[in-house]
Amino acid sequence: MRAVVEFESIPGQLPTLKPDDLSTDQKYLFEITLAAITGSCADDLANKSPGKMSHACWLTKANRILRLYISTPTPSTNLIILAQYIVKVYTPVWFQIKTHSSCKDGSRHLWKLIESSRFLSSALKAVIDPVIQRNAYFAHPENLLLAMLTDGEKNIRELAARRILKARSSPTTGKLSRTFECLNLILMPNLILI
């Protein structure tokens, strides 16, 4: 295993977690991300294996990329971009989903993903945004209303209830179900920039 070198810290923020609730790979992701944020890696973490590589698991890839970052004296631009994405977007969103896994929080997770990825260059957002759009089911009105109904603000919950009652009282077009379609989040600047 390569030795840890002096590396540039990456600004980021992690939620407060109970380590007992995490698997070995999850604990490693939390600790290695924290090391990348602080710019300091403890000896026990430096000697710990990032886990077995799994091509189906993004978590182990993230672990290995951050381990490579903190042990590379002059990281390439691509390695820096990947490490920044993991610290600023992937890890915080992953742990937010881990700690709030109910479907009522899906729209909040989507918002966090969109908001935290805005630091990327236009060229990288052109790659990331279509992927977010293809998977943006939690931006559909039904899911947004579910998130609103469970919001901490009373006025937001009341607004959701009024919208649902209004939708129930409006005449239907005879269609009982509708198909989920990919939303064009790029054409919804208020959603992204609020």
Side-chain angles (χ1 to χ4, degrees):
M1 192 174 313
R2 295 169 68 170
V4 173
V5 297
E6 268 193 51
F7 60 93
E8 190 173 332
S9 64
I10 301 170
Q13 191 172 1
L14 289 174
T16 305
L17 296 172
K18 294 179 186 173
D20 301 338
D21 295 341
L22 303 176
S23 71
T24 304
D25 288 340
Q26 294 166 359
K27 283 180 190 174
Y28 188 90
L29 178 64
F30 190 84
E31 292 171 359
I32 197 79
T33 302
L34 197 56
I37 291 170
T38 61
S40 172
C41 182
D43 290 339
D44 62 331
L45 180 61
N47 295 325
K48 198 182 287 186
S49 170
K52 197 172 188 178
M53 179 63 170
S54 169
H55 294 290
C57 185
W58 284 101
L59 188 133
T60 59
K61 286 184 182 82
N63 286 345
R64 289 176 167 272
I65 290 168
L66 288 182
R67 181 60 176 90
L68 178 62
Y69 175 77
I70 67 170
S71 60
T72 304
T74 52
S76 68
T77 303
N78 287 342
L79 180 56
I80 292 169
I81 290 169
L82 287 171
Q84 287 176 341
Y85 186 83
I86 292 167
V87 170
K88 294 180 178 188
V89 182
Y90 179 79
T91 304
V93 171
W94 198 97
F95 282 112
Q96 181 178 336
I97 293 169
K98 170 82 176 157
T99 57
H100 300 93
S101 58
S102 173
C103 68
K104 69 182 176 60
D105 297 309
S107 297
R108 293 179 187 93
H109 300 322
L110 175 63
W111 170 248
K112 175 77 172 170
L113 177 64
I114 293 169
E115 180 185 41
S116 59
S117 65
R118 296 304 91 190
F119 79 94
L120 294 168
S121 68
S122 297
L124 291 173
K125 282 191 274 192
V127 174
I128 298 292
D129 287 346
V131 176
I132 294 173
Q133 284 178 236
R134 281 194 303 274
N135 294 285
Y137 299 106
F138 282 105
H140 283 272
E142 296 89 342
N143 293 316
L144 290 173
L145 285 170
L146 177 60
M148 290 172 67
L149 282 172
T150 60
D151 195 90
E153 299 286 327
K154 183 180 177 186
N155 60 327
I156 301 292
R157 293 192 305 270
E158 289 173 349
L159 175 62
R162 284 195 305 273
R163 297 259 167 113
I164 291 169
L165 292 173
K166 182 179 178 183
R168 284 183 176 174
S169 67
S170 67
T172 61
T173 59
K175 193 173 179 182
L176 297 178
S177 63
R178 74 175 181 84
T179 306
F180 274 159
E181 297 174 8
C182 287
L183 298 174
N184 191 341
L185 298 178
I186 305 306
L187 296 178
M188 299 169 67
N190 293 338
L191 177 64
I192 293 175
L193 299 176
I194 290 178

